[in-house]
Amino acid sequence: MATETGTVPVEPSANDVVLDVRDLRKTFGSGAATVVAVDGIDLTVHRGETIIISGPSGAGKTTLVTLLGGILTPTSGTVCIGGRDVGAMSAGESAEVRRSKVGFVFQTFGLLDALTARENVEVALNLVGKGGASARRQAESLLTRLGMEQRLHAKPPTLSGGERQRVAIARALMNDPELILADEPTANLDSKQGRQVADILRTLADTYEVAVVIVSHDQRIYDIADRLLWLEDGHLTLPPSSSLEDR
Amino acid sequence: MAVFGVAVSVFLIVLIQSLFMGVRDSFGAMVEELPFDVWVAQDGTYDIERSTSILPGEYTESIADISGVKGAESILGRRVVIGTGDRQNLEFVIAFGSGEVLSQAGAKERATPASGEIVLSSRFARTIGAGTGEPVWIGERSFTIASIVPSSFSVLNMTDAKATFGLGDRINYIGVIVSESADASLVASRIDAKLSDANAIGRGAFADRSRAAIDSFSPVFGILMAVGFIVGASIISLTIYTSTIEKARDFGILKALGATRAYLYRIVTVQAFAVGLCGFALGTPVAYGAAQGIAEIVPEFTTIFNPLYVFGVLGIVLLMSGVSSLLPVHRISRVDPGTVFRA
């Protein structure tokens, strides 16, 4: 079983636990063709904490983040967000947890091309049945705080990669989530934009006390993490020293 | 494109429906048009379109004596071929006895064309391309068009009609107008009691029976409308389904963000209903305009646009939209939210 490790020691209280993963396991296929993607992971993430999970391609990082977000159902183990085990929930119940407690930031941004930047952010509130002028104001306020006040009415195809990711981050924040799950958020960005996005995610954790889990193999952003974890062969471990040499 | 396709479908449905209603209404229209409260026909006669009624001419006078009868008019009437030049068509031709009863009802011109003249319905005059003063023929006889009036039938002088139809002193029907204070059904009962070989029928029932003649074609119209429905539903469904496949990534994003099934289904059904309603808004006025235009060219193309039936078509369009969204909704249910995590 993997052990929970980190680069920065933290001693938060049990009440601050946002994400609690116990003996998480996910396999695909059956019999001799069984592939173990995630193999007995334990992980606890607290309010205001930023962790980065890195690892080689094919290590199971994306599988892990979809398990943490309640999108994939684990083969065994638990994934508790705000004390509720999303792994044991129905699809509808886990979707409700995603709407209300989790913000997602995707590598490919995950924006709806037909909608403007502001409308993309509003979608998060629309999903919980809210809309109208207050949703518009809230979306504009968040985008302004992220430096997007000049691009409120621009559609995603006309935005730069960094701008798109900021829109995605604003959307992730719309419902005051407890947890932000970011899957390779800087992979499609140049170094300057990647740095900006990483700094924004770190600031969210500090300012809003959101727990931020970033899955990334972008070594340039390792410095924003409170803890850096390494995922390889389905196991979560300390990062090998070689992976930290360029930090 | 989808809106256009649905508009074509709505166009077909509205046009077919209004044509059916128009044709149906033209059957028995002469019964509704004339002021007779009760029609007397030979016993066993069902309607004015499909049954032949022959009554003794003297029955008209004997009916006039019945309590509650204000006036009774002898009627000869049948569908005959009328032609002019090389054009000919079927027309319902009626002749009235004295014409006095109709004159009292304000239809003197129609009741009593002079011998050798005919009053043509405007629709039929357009059909054969005839104008006032021109000759037309019925069988071996020639008549001059005295006037052209908006009507569902044409009128001959009684003497000419007897000679043309070859019925001698016999007549086809008796039209009865009842007194203001009398009850039409009661008067009909009295006529039935007095004339054992005749049957008195109320105007509404007689018209309805005549209209029922077209009902035997309603399965054909029904099939045509069903084709319109299937075409429309298929167009909406294919459009929305294609759009759903194209937008599968977007639906995946929304699923990943926690969208409920109801939220996603609403997106699809709103799209389907928007397409349907736009198609209805476009197709209905075009169908109306087309019907008017076609009627100008083809007078037999009689259509009726009943607002209630147009609302019925709206209901069909909404049903079409609902049905057509089922397939895309099924497709959405299979979209994997995990796809958004793949680069």
Side-chain angles (χ1 to χ4, degrees), chain A residues 47-126:
Chain A
R47 192 180 301 282
E49 189 180 14
T50 300
I51 72 164
I52 292 180
I53 299 171
S54 192
S57 295
K61 296 193 297 294
T62 297
T63 301
L64 178 59
V65 80
T66 51
L67 285 165
L68 299 184
I71 291 169
L72 264 184
T73 304
T75 305
S76 62
T78 60
V79 177
C80 292
I81 299 173
R84 298 171 67 191
D85 182 6
V86 294
M89 290 178 178
S90 67
E93 289 169 333
S94 64
E96 192 276 325
V97 170
R98 289 202 298 280
R99 285 195 301 275
S100 59
K101 294 184 183 299
V102 183
F104 284 96
V105 179
F106 307 109
Q107 177 181 348
T108 52
F109 318 116
L111 300 178
L112 307 176
D113 289 346
L115 305 183
T116 65
R118 192 196 68 197
E119 289 165 345
N120 264 285
V121 177
E122 280 182 64
V123 160
L125 276 187
N126 297 156

Side-chain angles (χ1 to χ4, degrees), chain A residues 212-225:
Chain A
V212 179
V213 175
I214 301 170
V215 169
S216 174
H217 59 258
D218 184 355
Q219 296 183 15
R220 297 169 302 180
I221 67 166
Y222 284 176
D223 61 295
I224 68 163

Side-chain angles (χ1 to χ4, degrees), chain A residues 62 65-66 69 71 95-96 98-99 102 104-114 123 126-127 171 183, chain B residues 247 249-261 263-264 266-267 336-343:
Chain A
T62 297
V65 80
T66 51
I71 291 169
E96 192 276 325
R98 289 202 298 280
R99 285 195 301 275
V102 183
F104 284 96
V105 179
F106 307 109
Q107 177 181 348
T108 52
F109 318 116
L111 300 178
L112 307 176
D113 289 346
V123 160
N126 297 156
L127 292 179
R171 182 181 63 190
D183 180 37
Chain B
K247 299 283 181 189
R249 178 186 157 276
D250 288 356
F251 285 111
I253 291 167
L254 291 170
K255 274 189 161 182
L257 296 177
T260 60
R261 281 186 181 185
Y263 182 89
L264 299 173
R266 195 163 60 238
I267 292 173
D336 175 14
T339 53
V340 73
F341 290 92
R342 291 171 201 135

